[in-house]
Every structure is written in structure tokens, then in C-alpha cells.
Amino acid sequence: MLERMDPTRLGAAGVRLSPSLGRFIWEVSGPHQLALSALSVLVFLLSTAPLEVQRRMVNDAFKGGQFQPILALALAYVGLAIAEGAVKLAMNVYRGWVSETTVRSLRRTVHLLLREASSDRVAADALGIETSMMLAEAEPIGGFVGVSVSEPMMQGGLLLAVFGYMTYLEPLMALVALLVFCPQIVFVPLMQHAINLRVARRISALREVSVAMMGEPGAHFHVGQDLDVRIDDVFALNMGIYKLKFSMNFLMNLLHHSGTAGVLAAGGWFVVHGQTEVGTVVAFVSGLAKINDPWGDLVNWFRDLTATATKYDLIAQAVNAIAEETETPLGTPVDVVE
């Protein structure tokens, strides 16, 4: 449950934002990250097992084996799918709960601190920043907390498990599959860095829009001109993010389909020359599909990590600056997910 401190008793002296995203995640949800990690391990183990069941079913069918063992394997396949789906369902609901309680905690923390900003010099800027942070920026940060540890553990574990299984079956075909991902190790971080720069600039521009809209009544003419420029800047930054993001997705999908074609060609050659079984080729194609999804999810997680870290740094800097202006000491978070 969410243990809630009493803001009226705690006062501004008990409000703070941790200096780093990682520390913030551990402070608000440390024990839950361990539990989610355990569920992640169970998910990737259950997700890998059906590959071997599928391979045996196909090979038994092609060899003209008895139907009863094939039926037993089919039932086992369904049972594994149900078990995997049930664990994923529980994990996703758990993640959602951790994320939403963190969003609520972050919003309350920011609100309590900014409520203490009583000086006239701080109040106008604080109001605009609070509007942006509490309604927009807190949502993705809190949402990321729920998947911050369990997602890379589950997807990374699934990648390693599937690659290990494919290497065990046929090392040369596994090498073909591995080569598909090598170019992505180069262009994904470079393109993501470019996206992150635009995300940071967009957040700053949106904050300036919020502050400008809360400006003095006598400055409406200048504020209007200022807002037009900033809104155009946000539009240009968003379009740049879209172009980079979807270009990255296009390249990743192209490499995935190239890998599938390479595995089918190599597998066909091995089957024709009697060096492997049809079930092995089927398992490889299924394995590539299982690799493509977690690899894409890992890229999305890395994208969210870097973008969220940027957003969190901006929030922490703004909140700490306001705390210094109001001479508000920093203490512990308002809410902890327990």
C-alpha cells in the first residue's frame, strides 16, 4: 500500500526530489522493483520454452510419428501460453500500480514544495512551471518507474535465452540472426541521442509557454508574439522527433526482415543437404520473431530511459532552484510506495 505522510505536519522542510532518476526510482519503489524483476525472470523462461515444444511437434509430424505425443505437446504448448499470459497480466497490473502511485507521489511532492514559494519574485515562474510539471512531465516519469528495472531484465533475458537456444540448435544460423542486430548497435544510440536533445529543448520551450501565459496583464502584446515563436519552435522540435523516431523504426524493421530472409535461405540449404530438420528452421523463424519484439522493446525502453532522465533532471533542477529561492531545505519524498 501507499504509505502517505501528513503534508501539514511534514511542511516544506520534508519535501525534496532526489538528484538522479535512479535514486528516485529506488527510494519510491525499491522493494517493488525486486518483486517485478522476479516476475520478469519467470516471464522470459515461460516465453522461451514453447520454441522447443514447437520444434518437436513439427519434427514428429514430418517423421510420421504417432498423434498422441503430438497432441500432448500441443496441450503443453497451450498450457505454457496460458501460464505466460497469466504472469504477464499480473506483472503489467503490478507495474501500472507502481507507476500510478509514483505519479501521484511526484505531483504531491512538487505541489507541496511550490506551495511554499511565497515570494513575489518566485510565484509567477513557479505557477507556470508547476502547471507544466504536474500535468505533463510527471506522467511519463512516474510511468517509467513501473518498467524501469523489470522491462530490461525481462526483454534482455528473453534475448539471451532465445539466442542461447538457437546457438544450441544450429550455430551458423544463429550467427546469421546475430548479424541482423549488429548495425542497430551503432545507429540506435546515435539517433536516440539526437531525439533526446530535441526532447529537452521541447520541454524547455513548453515551460516558457506556461510561464508566458501566466505573465503580467500589461505584457499581453509581447507575450502574444513570444508565444507564437515558442509554439512554432515546439512544432519544429516535435516534427524532428517524429522523423528520427520513425526512421529508426523503419531501419529496425528492414533489418529484421532481412534476417528472416537470411535464416530461411540458410535453413533451406541445410534442409536440402540433410544437415538439419524442418522443425529447426521453423523454430529459428519463430525465434527471430521472439527476438524482434524484445529487441524493439529494449530500444523503446532505452529511448524512454534517456528521455525520462532528461525530463527528471529538468524537474529536479527547477524544483531545487525554487527551493533555493524560497530558502526551503530539502528532506524526504512525500510518498513512498510500500
Side-chain angles (χ1 to χ4, degrees):
M1 296 178 64
L2 181 66
E3 183 180 30
R4 195 171 307 132
M5 298 183 184
D6 182 5
T8 58
R9 178 183 60 82
L10 188 64
V15 178
R16 78 171 168 88
L17 287 182
S18 301
S20 67
L21 177 63
R23 184 174 172 182
F24 172 76
I25 290 172
W26 179 252
E27 286 180 349
V28 299
S29 63
H32 298 288
Q33 298 300 337
L34 298 178
L36 286 170
S37 297
L39 289 174
S40 298
V41 173
L42 185 57
V43 167
F44 79 69
L45 291 177
L46 288 171
S47 183
T48 307
L51 291 175
E52 176 64 16
V53 175
Q54 185 182 57
R55 184 184 72 85
R56 293 187 180 187
M57 288 175 61
V58 173
N59 286 338
D60 286 350
F62 270 86
K63 290 177 181 178
Q66 295 182 351
F67 178 70
Q68 187 173 359
I70 296 176
L71 179 61
L73 288 171
L75 294 175
Y77 188 94
V78 173
L80 287 170
I82 293 174
E84 179 190 356
V87 176
K88 274 187 176 180
L89 174 62
M91 184 179 67
N92 288 333
V93 172
Y94 194 0
R95 282 175 170 179
W97 179 81
V98 172
S99 295
E100 289 304 313
T101 51
T102 304
V103 170
R104 182 172 60 178
S105 170
L106 184 57
R107 284 174 173 163
R108 284 175 172 166
T109 301
V110 173
H111 173 69
L112 182 57
L113 177 60
L114 293 177
R115 192 177 64 185
E116 300 295 327
S118 57
S119 68
D120 295 336
R121 183 163 60 91
V122 176
D125 288 345
L127 185 58
I129 293 172
E130 181 181 19
T131 301
S132 176
M133 288 192 299
M134 293 186 63
L135 297 183
E137 296 172 25
E139 191 77 27
I141 292 173
F144 179 76
V145 171
V147 300
S148 57
V149 177
S150 60
E151 184 71 4
M153 180 169 291
M154 181 180 69
Q155 306 301 349
L158 183 56
L159 279 174
L160 292 176
V162 173
F163 263 124
Y165 175 72
M166 292 167 70
T167 302
Y168 167 76
L169 288 181
E170 186 57 62
L172 290 178
M173 289 173 63
L175 179 61
V176 172
L178 181 62
L179 291 176
V180 173
F181 298 95
C182 290
Q184 300 186 42
I185 298 175
V186 177
F187 72 76
V188 167
L190 293 175
M191 298 181 75
Q192 187 57 49
H193 178 67
I195 291 174
N196 294 340
L197 293 176
R198 287 162 175 78
V199 168
R201 289 166 57 190
R202 181 185 63 182
I203 292 173
S204 298
L206 286 173
R207 285 185 180 176
E208 291 174 357
V209 169
S210 296
V211 173
M213 291 178 67
M214 300 297 176
E216 295 299 325
H220 281 329
F221 176 73
H222 300 289
V223 168
Q225 289 181 325
D226 231 14
L227 282 176
D228 287 340
V229 173
R230 284 167 172 74
I231 290 172
D232 287 342
D233 288 343
V234 172
F235 173 81
L237 289 169
N238 282 337
M239 290 307 301
I241 292 171
Y242 287 142
K243 290 175 182 178
L244 286 168
K245 177 181 177 180
F246 293 120
S247 295
M248 186 193 303
N249 292 341
F250 167 75
L251 292 174
M252 291 173 61
N253 287 330
L254 178 62
L255 288 174
H256 167 66
H257 290 299
S258 299
T260 301
V263 165
L264 288 173
W269 189 90
F270 284 133
V271 170
V272 169
H273 289 81
Q275 297 183 16
T276 193
E277 300 172 314
V278 174
T280 300
V281 179
V282 173
F284 261 80
V285 174
S286 297
L288 274 180
K290 281 186 173 292
I291 288 174
N292 187 59
D293 289 341
W295 175 253
D297 290 338
L298 273 179
V299 171
N300 291 334
W301 176 86
F302 175 71
R303 177 187 301 159
D304 292 341
L305 169 64
T306 52
T308 303
T310 300
K311 295 174 182 177
Y312 184 82
D313 287 343
L314 291 172
I315 282 187
Q317 291 169 14
V319 168
N320 292 341
I322 295 171
E324 291 175 2
E325 291 284 352
T326 56
E327 298 182 353
T328 301
L330 301 180
T332 54
V334 176
D335 293 331
V336 177
V337 183
E338 292 185 355

